[in-house]
Amino acid sequence: MIQKAFPSYLHKEATKIADFLQQNDPKNFKIIGTEIVYLNGEVLELPQRVYFGEYNTQSLTLVQEQMLNCLYLCHCNGHLREHYLRELLIVKEDFTLPFIAKLFGDYVIEIVKVLHSELPDVTRDKLRDFFRENSLYQKRIESRIASYWDLFYRNVYPDFKKYVGYQLFQTTIK
């Protein structure tokens, strides 16, 4: 399943990541659900949620570590999602884009605020293209933004257009 989350040129690396996770956490390692996206014309299946711990990554290459960090953006722990988002914002590789895009619709406002304030312009431009290639996914993210605002943040941001998630999305897709 991890292979399907990354472009085909990274399948060998993805297999190493899967083996690494199985070796480090064979009992607790889980992936729940997937979402289909396209990256440069290639179909990928992003995990909706992953469950595994944090490990010493000394045995991984830089690219493998970046790929593992992408998976952490799907982690059940919001603190880990936020931490690894900051790590990935400096990475210029396109394979990170679907994972970063997923966080636009996160319910943890601290994560959305990190994206809003720290997302590099070059990544924002690439994400604009990514969302154009994934119009259905874009609509799902927009729906999540509105739903989480309604559920959790309506009292803090009575005007939806002042909600940081809305502002982030609007400044990225336009």
Side-chain angles (χ1 to χ4, degrees), residues 104 109 112 116 145 160 162-170:
F104 275 57
I109 197 164
V112 178
H116 186 61
I145 291 168
F160 179 60
K162 292 186 179 177
Y163 172 56
V164 66
Y166 174 84
Q167 291 177 349
L168 166 68
F169 199 73
Q170 292 305 309

Side-chain angles (χ1 to χ4, degrees), residues 21 27 47 56 83 88 100 108 134-135 144 162 164 168:
L21 290 170
K27 291 183 181 175
N56 180 335
H83 172 77
L88 286 172
I100 293 171
V108 178
N134 291 278
S135 58
R144 287 178 190 156
K162 292 186 179 177
V164 66
L168 166 68

Side-chain angles (χ1 to χ4, degrees), residues 128-139:
R128 183 177 300 117
D129 294 339
F130 173 80
F131 280 122
R132 283 189 187 126
E133 186 180 11
N134 291 278
S135 58
L136 290 175
Y137 189 63
Q138 176 182 328
K139 294 212 179 303

Side-chain angles (χ1 to χ4, degrees), residues 108-126:
V108 178
I109 197 164
E110 291 81 4
I111 292 171
V112 178
K113 286 180 177 179
V114 167
L115 281 168
H116 186 61
S117 64
E118 299 179 29
L119 188 65
D121 288 339
V122 67
T123 306
R124 191 179 299 269
D125 293 342
K126 288 181 175 187

Side-chain angles (χ1 to χ4, degrees), residues 81-118:
R81 291 196 306 276
E82 180 182 351
H83 172 77
Y84 288 102
L85 170 61
R86 289 178 191 278
E87 297 282 320
L88 286 172
L89 285 178
I90 60 170
V91 175
K92 306 291 186 242
E93 301 293 333
D94 282 356
F95 69 80
T96 66
L97 296 174
F99 296 92
I100 293 171
K102 180 178 177 49
L103 293 183
F104 275 57
D106 206 285
Y107 61 90
V108 178
I109 197 164
E110 291 81 4
I111 292 171
V112 178
K113 286 180 177 179
V114 167
L115 281 168
H116 186 61
S117 64
E118 299 179 29

Side-chain angles (χ1 to χ4, degrees), residues 40-78:
N40 301 321
E42 193 170 346
V43 178
L44 305 179
E45 291 183 36
L46 299 182
Q48 286 184 326
R49 277 288 175 252
V50 296
Y51 299 83
F52 52 82
E54 285 189 282
Y55 312 105
N56 180 335
T57 58
Q58 252 182 326
S59 65
L60 300 178
T61 67
L62 177 61
V63 170
Q64 291 166 353
E65 188 173 348
Q66 291 169 342
M67 292 169 68
L68 180 60
N69 291 351
C70 285
L71 294 174
Y72 277 117
L73 298 191
C74 305
H75 201 276
C76 60
N77 183 319

Side-chain angles (χ1 to χ4, degrees), residues 144-155 160 163:
R144 287 178 190 156
I145 291 168
S147 292
Y148 291 135
W149 166 78
D150 187 45
L151 282 170
F152 302 119
Y153 304 111
R154 181 186 282 268
N155 291 334
F160 179 60
Y163 172 56

